[in-house]
Amino acid sequence: MPFRPRYTGLIAKYHDRLPVKDDSRLISLGEGNTPLIRLNNIPGELGKDVDIYVKYEGLNPTGSFKDRGMTMAVTKAVEEGSKAIICASTGNTSASAAAYAARAGIKAFVLIPDGKIAMGKLAQAIMHGADVLQIRGNFDDGMRLVKEVAEQAPVTIVNSVNPYRLQGQKTAAFEIVEELERAPDYHCLPVGNAGNITAHWIGYCEYSGRGEGILTEACTLCNGHCRYASAIVDKRPVMVGYQASGSAPFLRGHMVDDPETVATAIRIGHPQSWDYAWKVKEESGGWFDECTDQEILEAQRLLADREGVFCEPASATSLAGALRDIRHGTIPEGSTVVCTLTGHGLKDPDIAIRQSSDALRTIDATLDDVRRAITDRL
Ligand code: F0G
């Protein structure tokens, strides 16, 4: 039986499209190559003829899409001789930065909003040995402080303002195109800082051989070589970004000072990729919309319950918005839709259990009780 070569991460796979040197030491945990799962049950229940796929980024090594960007950012930091990285985070970036710093043997400092990140993410940052600084402030305060301190101390910022992050994250779009053998008609994402929606657009542009607009700016990093890459498909998707209503600067049209949402990962009022995201909307003919916390939690539950896919609340924002737009016909029947599920549901067990506690029954440890409990529900 012929063996396939071992998958060793996205930089190894896409090195000709990424700004890395041939002899760079790659800092990788085998990230990328995540499943694109076709939803079997939800479209039928909606009564709509649509193909919905979820790109399950929660199956990356630290449980979120951040690993795609972090393998690039940390590889480049090490290539450039950096001994420490720093980030502000709503949780996932800190978990990923901590893990890749551990892998590289360098130091990670992470600033997180005190009491406002999911427990799983905090556990990851601590276990990977990061210096965890809980600030009495939100993500936006942390981001401002990280930028200021990096001007005075020898630390590399690994938030998505670090352009290598977007370069790594664009590979998710490559994988989707390769698997579908075309670009989807619509690509729906949750939007916080708007780095990920920007990165996906860069990826789709590259694979369609279009070098105009945002790509021209974002790709100066690889000396433009990716701009000249041959076209693999001729079409790009319409990009749709959904925000949580309490943290929706793209809907308000201005920065929001006190963002609030149950989806703590996207509790961001001052997005770092503000200008890029507006360009993505324009260039792709897409739109932004918002979802309430209740819609987000319902979509999270629906996906777990009907399809067996468990994502964290922020991730479910993409599906919540897409389902509403499909129901209203804004996304027409006959479309192929991809929703990015940015993080794993196990990141935030508290929220999941809190909204499902009615599913738990406590009974005596007797055969009679167990039998009765089962036959009740058959
Ligand atoms: N979904 C999850 C699970 C996230 O962790 C984030 C961002 C987003 C969506 C939004 O992505 O910022 O590129 O628009 N989390 C960052 C963090 C802010 O610190 O982990 P974006």
Side-chain angles (χ1 to χ4, degrees), residues 108-261:
F109 298 97
V110 305
L111 273 69
I112 55 172
D114 188 16
K116 290 286 188 181
I117 82 165
M119 278 301 148
K121 304 173 189 180
L122 183 58
Q124 287 178 290
I126 293 169
M127 286 302 287
H128 292 306
D131 248 287
V132 179
L133 307 171
Q134 307 199 78
I135 58 165
R136 291 182 202 94
N138 61 25
F139 170 84
D140 302 310
D141 298 318
M143 197 62 240
R144 178 176 44 78
L145 291 165
V146 160
K147 284 180 178 170
E148 285 170 14
V149 83
E151 281 178 15
Q152 297 167 18
V155 288
T156 303
I157 301 180
V158 293
N159 283 102
S160 55
V161 292
N162 176 329
Y164 298 120
R165 280 275 311 275
L166 301 192
Q167 287 293 311
Q169 284 170 214
K170 74 183 179 185
T171 60
F174 295 168
E175 290 175 15
I176 292 165
V177 171
E178 285 163 24
E179 205 152 326
L180 295 177
E181 299 182 356
R182 52 168 287 209
D185 300 310
Y186 295 86
H187 189 129
C188 305
L189 292 115
V191 171
N193 267 319
N196 209 24
I197 195 166
T198 304
H200 277 77
W201 186 239
I202 294 171
Y204 283 124
C205 289
E206 262 190 65
Y207 261 24
S208 70
R210 312 268 188 98
E212 82 271 31
I214 196 170
L215 185 59
T216 322
E217 270 180 62
C219 278
T220 46
L221 270 172
C222 42
N223 300 324
H225 75 251
C226 60
R227 260 183 280 156
Y228 307 110
S230 56
I232 293 184
V233 285
D234 55 6
K235 216 178 94 1
R236 299 176 293 182
V238 171
M239 304 295 291
V240 190
Y242 298 106
Q243 299 213 278
S245 294
S247 307
F250 286 103
L251 277 298
R252 308 294 162 256
H254 56 76
M255 302 296 171
V256 171
D257 281 337
D258 293 304
E260 206 43 85
T261 168

Side-chain angles (χ1 to χ4, degrees), residues 63-66 87-95 121 139 159-160 165-166 169 189-198 243 264-268 273 312-315 341-344 347:
S64 86
F65 73 97
K66 303 290 181 181
C87 66
S89 181
T90 56
N92 281 323
T93 301
S94 58
K121 304 173 189 180
F139 170 84
N159 283 102
S160 55
R165 280 275 311 275
L166 301 192
Q169 284 170 214
L189 292 115
V191 171
N193 267 319
N196 209 24
I197 195 166
T198 304
Q243 299 213 278
T264 50
I266 50 171
R267 188 171 163 268
I268 295 170
S273 294
E312 67 169 284
S315 310
L341 301 180
T342 43
H344 202 290
K347 292 268 191 178

